[in-house]
């Protein structure tokens, strides 16, 4: 069968293999595992009750001096008194091609078209160049405009006369026909 030499070589190989496998474990001594410390993150953070309660704010009253007088509408605006001596400034009527800026006075945007037409007629009788435009997102408002004029200062001078006649505070705006 197998020769003695073969048996000795196989036995020697087995002993060497066991020595290679087992000897390092024996010589290392006591094994320690490196354990890392982990901190757990809570799934739901701790919350204080005072942060969760809604805060109540008291509305601050607006002083009367801060309120604007834009609350007069064409329906509430006084009818232009024919007895008042306020007249529009005299202007020369001429056709001009504008290559610069033009300006208008917007007296307001109103929902009642009939009262705006009546106010337009009364202001035209006083000598003001008045026209109306549709306004609002769906055209439900009617804008009452005075002008147009190439001079912004000329329109600003008319604001006081218009306020005296109608009680409406107008705004000078740029105008693109």
């Amino acid at each position: 069968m197998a020769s003695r030499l073969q048996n000795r070589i196989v036995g020697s190989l087995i002993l060497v293999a066991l020595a290679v496998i087992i000897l390092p474990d024996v010589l290392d001594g006591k094994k320690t595992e490196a354990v890392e410390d982990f901190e757990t993150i809570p799934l739901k953070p701790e919350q204080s009750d005072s942060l969760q309660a809604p805060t109540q704010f008291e509305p601050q009253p607006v002083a009367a001096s801060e309120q604007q007088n834009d609350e007069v509408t064409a329906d509430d605006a006084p009818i232009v008194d024919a007895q008042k001596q306020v007249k529009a400034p005299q202007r020369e009527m001429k056709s001009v091609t504008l290559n610069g800026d033009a300006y208008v006075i917007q007296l307001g945007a109103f929902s009642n078209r009939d009262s705006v037409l009546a106010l337009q007629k009364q202001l035209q009788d006083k000598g003001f160049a008045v026209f109306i435009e549709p306004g609002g997102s769906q055209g439900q408002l009617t804008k009452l405009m005075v002008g147009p004029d190439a001079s912004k200062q000329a329109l600003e001078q008319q604001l006081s006369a218009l306020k005296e006649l109608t009680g409406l505070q107008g705004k000078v705006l740029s105008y693109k026909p």
Side-chain angles (χ1 to χ4, degrees), residues 24-39:
D25 287 340
V26 173
L27 295 179
D28 270 350
K30 183 180 175 187
K31 287 190 175 183
T32 59
E33 287 186 21
V35 177
E36 295 182 22
D37 293 331
F38 291 105
E39 292 198 25

Side-chain angles (χ1 to χ4, degrees), residues 28-140:
D28 270 350
K30 183 180 175 187
K31 287 190 175 183
T32 59
E33 287 186 21
V35 177
E36 295 182 22
D37 293 331
F38 291 105
E39 292 198 25
T40 59
I41 298 174
L43 295 177
K44 184 176 179 184
E46 294 180 20
Q47 297 174 349
S48 65
D49 293 335
S50 63
L51 292 178
Q52 296 299 318
T55 56
Q56 296 290 332
F57 290 104
E58 294 295 323
Q60 300 293 329
V62 177
S65 63
E66 295 176 6
Q67 290 179 347
Q68 296 180 357
N69 294 332
D70 293 341
E71 296 179 12
V72 178
T73 64
D75 301 329
D76 301 333
I79 297 173
V80 176
D81 188 7
Q83 306 301 330
K84 287 189 179 178
Q85 299 302 320
V86 177
K87 292 278 187 191
Q90 294 297 323
R91 301 183 327 164
E92 278 185 38
M93 295 294 182
K94 58 184 177 181
S95 178
V96 177
T97 303
L98 291 176
N99 50 357
D101 293 332
Y103 300 95
V104 293
I105 298 173
Q106 179 178 341
L107 286 177
F110 310 104
S111 59
N112 189 345
R113 185 175 172 85
D114 294 333
S115 62
V116 174
L117 291 173
L119 189 56
Q120 176 189 13
K121 173 83 170 104
Q122 293 168 355
L123 287 173
Q124 285 174 340
D125 291 343
K126 288 289 188 176
F128 289 97
V130 182
F131 65 98
I132 59 173
E133 284 185 348
S137 62
Q138 298 174 351
Q140 70 266 15

Side-chain angles (χ1 to χ4, degrees), residues 8-21:
R8 283 187 179 184
I9 292 176
V10 170
S12 299
L13 286 176
I14 291 175
L15 286 176
V16 171
L18 286 175
V20 169
I21 294 172

Side-chain angles (χ1 to χ4, degrees), residues 128-176:
F128 289 97
V130 182
F131 65 98
I132 59 173
E133 284 185 348
S137 62
Q138 298 174 351
Q140 70 266 15
L141 297 177
T142 304
K143 294 180 184 178
L144 182 63
M145 312 292 264
V146 176
D149 200 331
S151 171
K152 187 175 183 178
Q153 290 78 18
L155 289 175
E156 287 174 346
Q157 292 173 354
Q158 294 180 24
L159 283 174
S160 60
L162 288 167
K163 178 152 175 108
E164 183 180 334
L165 281 173
T166 62
L168 299 172
Q169 181 66 42
K171 297 175 189 172
V172 178
L173 305 172
S174 64
Y175 179 69
K176 302 282 186 210

